[in-house]
Amino acid sequence: MRCAILGGAGFLGRHIGRSMAAEGMAVWSVDRMLPQPGSAPWLAGEVQADCFDLASWWDRVGGADVIVHLASSTVPATASEDPVQDAQTNLVGTLRLLQALRQKGARPRLLFASSGGAVYGRPQFVPLSETHPTMPMGAYGATKLAIEHHLRIEEAQHGLPSRILRLSNPYGEWQQPHGVQGVIAVFAHRALHGHSVDVWGDGSVVRDFVYAADVGRAFVSAARHEGPTRTFNVGGGTGHSVNDIIHTLERLLGKAVERRVFPARPFDPPVNVLDIQRAQEELLWTPAMAFEEGVAMSVQWLRTVP
């Protein structure tokens, strides 16, 4: 089985690629960036290309039985700053990809990384199951949800099989600590270098975190899933507060972590945790990494990051 990962050079792409390769798949990374030589030995090859331009990479990877769609040019903050660019790049880009696959007559299974927080919006009940209303509160979630709908349409009208994985908050090795996402990586890196961390409110806000290697296993299961279900929550199954993260880092590092406290943000729901029962029952997947052990793995990798 041949797998092409769109966005394969990134944080999640590496974990998913390693998991797919461990199951015997020939894995190709398609990305605007190339991995550093030797940094991803599990890859069968890599192509530097526009992920949404099928003609630029399809023949070079020898086609694909599975496409993992991680390609995104935005995060929630940047999508809200420029929703037109977000839609033009990510939504229209995905539609271009689907149309090109249709014209080629190719029917690989497409696995789409959606957002388990952004597509649901403010929780009406917790944990959030796949039946929770989808009412995005920002452009990022709206674009993710629109792509989900187009994947369903594409399968119904043109036979392109897909599975949608709504991810919570992945963390782990290779997650860069200098961006605007990834609170565990950001906090751990700042704590390692003796810097304070920013806390909004009293630190009691609870989120769902899932170790990235567990996400990789979920994508392997989705690649082989048989059955009518198309959408799965993929999360840690339990919630952890900002205070939990800080206390975990303090135990691992053996020192206090300084905080800079700011007023609570009104758009932050107090709890957001995914219900992963459907993935457990139908994908036969469950997260394996304990939270503190996963954070320790992240810290160990971040020690190598300047």
Side-chain angles (χ1 to χ4, degrees):
M1 185 176 290
R2 186 175 296 266
C3 173
I5 302 182
L6 311 185
F11 153 59
L12 269 183
R14 288 171 175 265
H15 282 277
I16 294 170
R18 187 167 62 178
S19 295
M20 293 287 192
E23 293 297 314
M25 300 186 197
V27 179
W28 284 75
S29 168
V30 180
D31 205 303
R32 290 185 180 274
M33 304 292 292
L34 289 175
Q36 292 184 349
S39 65
W42 53 85
L43 289 176
E46 59 265 345
V47 173
Q48 189 171 18
D50 176 354
C51 296
F52 298 123
D53 181 8
L54 186 72
S56 70
W57 59 265
W58 180 261
D59 291 337
R60 294 166 68 185
V61 307
D65 303 296
V66 176
I67 295 175
V68 176
H69 181 351
L70 308 176
S72 178
S73 65
T74 60
V75 295
T78 58
S80 293
E81 289 170 3
D82 193 347
V84 173
Q85 180 64 27
D86 176 51
Q88 286 179 339
T89 302
N90 298 307
L91 175 55
V92 175
T94 299
L95 294 176
R96 286 172 44 222
L97 175 69
L98 296 178
Q99 189 172 48
L101 286 167
R102 189 190 314 160
Q103 292 171 347
K104 189 174 283 291
R107 295 294 182 269
R109 175 172 293 195
L110 195 147
L111 309 179
F112 176 57
S114 190
S115 171
V119 301
Y120 293 123
R122 187 169 295 279
Q124 297 182 16
F125 54 83
V126 178
L128 293 87
S129 68
E130 292 86 350
T131 60
H132 187 283
T134 48
M135 296 290 291
M137 297 175 64
Y140 182 82
T143 294
K144 289 285 191 183
L145 188 59
I147 292 172
E148 289 189 16
H149 286 313
H150 278 288
L151 290 175
R152 294 189 186 97
I153 293 167
E154 194 69 21
E155 181 164 15
Q157 295 186 356
H158 302 285
L160 182 78
S162 64
R163 298 294 186 275
I164 295 160
L165 283 74
R166 291 175 175 167
L167 309 181
S168 60
N169 296 280
Y171 71 96
E173 303 93 323
W174 300 307
Q175 188 172 37
Q176 295 301 316
H178 304 299
V180 295
Q181 269 190 315
V183 62
I184 290 175
V186 172
F187 277 21
H189 189 261
R190 292 191 64 82
L192 279 168
H193 290 82
H195 302 309
S196 61
V197 301
D198 294 347
V199 177
W200 301 87
D202 62 4
S204 63
V205 167
V206 172
R207 293 292 180 267
D208 186 329
F209 299 95
V210 59
Y211 187 60
D214 285 332
V215 175
R217 293 190 302 102
F219 272 83
V220 170
S221 296
R224 294 177 170 166
H225 172 253
E226 297 295 336
T229 305
R230 294 295 179 264
T231 303
F232 299 93
N233 284 340
V234 174
T238 57
H240 296 276
S241 70
V242 171
N243 290 329
D244 290 339
I245 297 170
I246 294 172
H247 294 154
T248 299
L249 290 171
E250 288 176 332
R251 288 193 297 273
L252 292 170
L253 300 178
K255 64 177 183 180
V257 175
E258 183 182 351
R259 310 180 189 202
R260 292 196 309 168
V261 179
F262 300 90
R265 299 178 294 192
F267 56 83
D268 278 340
V271 181
N272 190 313
V273 178
L274 298 184
D275 182 339
I276 59 172
Q277 183 176 355
R278 179 185 289 182
Q280 291 173 315
E281 292 178 351
E282 297 192 36
L283 296 183
L284 304 180
W285 170 88
T286 194
M289 181 65 75
F291 180 72
E292 184 156 339
E293 185 179 353
V295 174
M297 298 285 284
S298 299
V299 169
Q300 181 178 352
W301 181 81
L302 285 164
R303 292 184 186 277
T304 69
V305 178

